[in-house]
C-alpha cells in the first residue's frame, strides 16, 4: 500500500479522513500495561490491530517510543507501568565520549522487538497500511547527550555534536532498513527536539542528517513522514520542506493554517489537534469543536490531512478518540 498516494488521495477527497499518531491508548483494551507493551512484539502488533479495527484511521502506526534507539546505544531507560519509557542520565558528555561511542548493531536493545511487532501487524492488517515509528537524528543525539546539555554543546563544541549525529544517523539508517524489511509501508520519523532550535541551528544539526535518512530509505513504495512538534517550526519551514519527506506532521504548538499558507501545494502537511489538552484531558464536545475549527481553517486545503498534534497519550479517553473521528464524518 503506497502511503504517499493514500495520503494525497485523502487530502484531495471531499470526505475527511485522518491519520492520528495513535497506538498507546490501545493498551486500555488489552490485558497489558504500557510497561509490558514496550517490551513485547506480540502486544505491539495487537495494539496496532486494535487501532486499525476500531477506528477509521488511514493507517496503523507503531509505538512512538523515543527511548528505543538510545537504549541500543547503551543509555539507561526508565520503564513504568503506565507511562512511556524515558531515557535517564547522560551517556555522552564530551568529545572523548563521542569518540568512544559505538554504532550498535540491530541485536542491541529492543529494536528487533519493535521490528517484529511491525512485521506481525503487517501480516494481520490487510486493509490499511502499517507505519513503523523511529526517532530522528538530533532527537536521538539529545537523548544520548541530555536534551538540555546538547544545546550548550552545540554552541561550545559543535564538532562533538556532529560526531554523535554521524553515529546516530548511521544507526537510524540501519534500523530503518530493518523496519523496511518487515514489510512496513513507511516510517514516522520523530524529530521533536529540533523544534526548539533556531532556524540556523536546525539547518546545521538536524536537516542534513534527516535528509540522509530519507534519501537512504524512501522510495516509491516506502514513505517517510517527518514529525516535529516543536514551537519553533514555523520559522524553519523552508529547510524542513526541502528534506524530501513524503509528508510533514506538525504539533499543536504551531498554527496549522499558517503552516499550510507557507507550504508549497505539492507538500503534504498533517496535524494538529492537541493530544494532551484534547485527546487526554478534553471532552467529546470539546474535541468535536476543536476538530471542526481545524477543518474550518484547513479542511479546504488539498495538501492537508487531519491528525493529532503528536503521539496520543496512553491514558487518552476512547470517547474522545471516537469523537474526533465522528467530527470528521460529520
Amino acid at each position: 500500500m503506497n502511503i504517499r498516494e493514500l495520503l494525497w488521495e485523502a487530502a484531495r477527497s471531499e470526505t475527511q479522513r485522518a491519520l492520528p499518531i495513535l497506538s498507546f491508548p490501545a493498551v486500555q483494551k488489552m490485558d497489558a500495561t504500557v510497561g509490558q507493551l514496550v517490551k513485547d512484539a506480540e502486544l505491539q502488533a495487537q495494539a496496532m490491530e486494535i487501532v486499525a479495527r476500531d477506528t477509521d484511521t488511514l493507517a496503523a502506526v507503531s509505538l512512538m517510543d523515543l527511548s528505543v534507539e538510545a537504549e541500543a546505544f547503551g543509555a539507561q531507560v526508565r520503564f513504568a507501568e503506565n507511562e512511556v519509557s524515558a531515557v535517564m542520565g547522560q551517556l555522552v558528555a564530551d568529545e572523548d565520549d563521542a569518540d568512544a561511542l559505538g554504532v550498535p548493531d540491530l541485536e542491541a536493545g529492543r529494536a528487533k522487538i519493535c521490528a517484529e511487532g511491525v512485521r506481525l501487524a503487517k501480516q494481520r492488517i490487510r486493509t490499511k497500511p502499517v507505519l513503523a515509528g523511529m526517532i530522528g537524528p538530533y532527537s536521538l543525539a539529545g537523548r544520548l547527550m541530555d536534551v538540555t546539555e546538547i544545546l550548550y554543546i552545540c554552541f561550545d563544541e559543535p564538532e562533538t555534536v556532529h560526531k554523535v549525529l554521524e553515529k546516530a544517523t548511521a544507526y537510524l539508517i540501519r534500523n530503518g532498513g530493518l523496519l523496511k524489511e518487515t514489510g512496513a509501508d513507511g516510517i514516522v520519523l520523530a524529530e521533536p527536539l529540533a523544534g526548539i532550535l533556531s532556524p540556523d541551528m536546525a539547518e546545521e544539526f538536524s536537516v542534513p542528517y534527516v535528509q540522509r535518512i530519507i534519501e537512504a530509505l524512501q522510495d516509491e513504495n516506502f514513505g517517510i513522514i517527518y514529525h516535529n512538534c516543536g514551537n519553533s517550526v514555523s520559522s524553519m519551514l523552508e529547510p524542513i520542506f526541502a528534506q524530501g519527506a513524503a509528508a510533514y506532521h506538525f504539533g499543536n504548538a504551531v498554527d496549522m493554517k499558517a503552516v499550510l499558507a507557507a507550504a508549497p501545494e505539492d507538500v503534504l502537511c498533517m496535524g494538529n489537534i492537541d493530544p494532551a489538552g484534547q485527546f487526554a484531558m478534553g471532552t467529546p464536545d470539546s474535541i468535536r469543536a476543536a476538530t471542526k475549527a481545524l477543518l474550518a481553517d484547513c479542511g479546504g486545503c488539498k495538501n492537508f490531512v487531519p491528525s493529532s498534534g503528536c503521539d496520543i497519550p496512553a491514558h487518552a479517553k476512547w470517547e474522545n478518540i471516537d469523537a474526533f473521528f465522528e467530527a470528521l464524518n460529520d
Side-chain angles (χ1 to χ4, degrees):
M1 299 182 188
N2 189 305
I3 188 63
R4 188 197 300 264
E5 290 180 2
L6 183 71
L7 289 172
W8 275 110
E9 181 181 338
R12 292 166 176 158
S13 173
E14 294 301 319
T15 303
Q16 293 287 352
R17 298 285 306 282
L19 177 49
I21 308 300
L22 172 60
S23 57
F24 279 108
V27 78
Q28 298 174 38
K29 301 186 177 188
M30 302 165 64
D31 184 21
T33 65
V34 173
Q36 292 169 328
L37 185 65
V38 298
K39 298 178 180 180
D40 190 300
E42 173 60 32
L43 293 177
Q44 292 176 27
Q46 288 178 24
M48 284 180 268
E49 283 186 276
I50 287 168
V51 172
R53 180 195 69 206
D54 291 356
T55 75
D56 191 30
T57 185
L58 285 163
V61 184
S62 73
L63 306 183
M64 189 180 279
D65 181 347
L66 303 187
S67 70
V68 170
E69 295 84 358
E71 184 185 25
F73 274 90
Q76 181 181 354
V77 174
R78 175 180 59 81
F79 297 97
E81 183 174 331
N82 293 309
E83 295 180 9
V84 179
S85 43
V87 175
M88 308 294 290
Q90 184 180 22
L91 187 67
V92 178
D94 53 32
E95 189 169 10
D96 288 342
D97 289 342
D99 288 335
L101 188 69
V103 179
D105 60 36
L106 295 174
E107 300 296 327
R110 290 172 289 136
K112 274 203 158 181
I113 291 174
C114 296
E116 177 64 7
V118 173
R119 186 187 70 81
L120 292 172
K122 184 60 184 176
Q123 287 181 348
R124 300 170 189 177
I125 300 170
R126 297 295 186 179
T127 58
K128 296 176 180 179
V130 172
L131 300 175
M134 190 170 77
I135 198 171
Y138 182 75
S139 299
L140 173 54
R143 279 155 179 78
L144 298 175
M145 305 181 78
D146 183 86
V147 295
T148 301
E149 289 298 319
I150 192 173
L151 289 171
Y152 298 106
I153 303 173
C154 282
F155 285 107
D156 298 337
E157 300 177 48
E159 66 282 354
T160 299
V161 180
H162 283 295
K163 286 182 178 182
V164 176
L165 284 166
E166 286 289 340
K167 294 176 180 182
T169 301
Y171 175 72
L172 292 174
I173 290 172
R174 182 181 297 173
N175 188 46
L178 173 65
L179 294 169
K180 192 173 181 178
E181 289 173 7
T182 66
D185 300 287
I187 287 173
V188 178
L189 186 72
E191 184 71 322
L193 197 58
I196 64 173
L197 295 173
S198 70
D200 287 345
M201 290 179 71
E203 286 195 65
E204 178 179 356
F205 294 107
S206 176
V207 168
Y209 297 100
V210 170
Q211 219 161 8
R212 279 163 52 181
I213 293 168
I214 291 172
E215 290 170 358
L217 298 174
Q218 185 167 264
D219 57 39
E220 62 181 10
N221 295 312
F222 189 86
I224 306 294
I225 297 175
Y226 171 87
H227 165 76
N228 189 330
C229 55
N231 55 12
S232 297
V233 162
S234 297
S235 63
M236 58 180 78
L237 288 174
E238 186 174 346
I240 284 176
F241 292 147
Q243 293 173 138
Y248 298 87
H249 189 279
F250 299 112
N252 52 285
V254 300
D255 181 345
M256 200 71 220
K257 185 177 181 180
V259 168
L260 285 163
E265 292 182 358
D266 62 347
V267 169
L268 195 145
C269 298
M270 303 168 64
N272 68 344
I273 300 295
D274 187 345
Q278 288 296 344
F279 284 100
M281 304 302 295
T283 65
D285 286 343
S286 72
I287 201 167
R288 285 190 196 97
T291 304
K292 289 178 181 180
L294 177 67
L295 295 180
D297 283 343
C298 307
C301 297
K302 298 303 181 184
N303 59 337
F304 171 68
V305 172
S307 182
S308 55
C310 192
D311 187 30
I312 297 175
H315 62 280
K317 303 164 189 170
W318 270 95
E319 61 183 5
N320 291 344
I321 295 168
D322 292 339
F324 169 70
F325 287 102
E326 289 166 5
L328 294 170
N329 290 334
D330 289 345

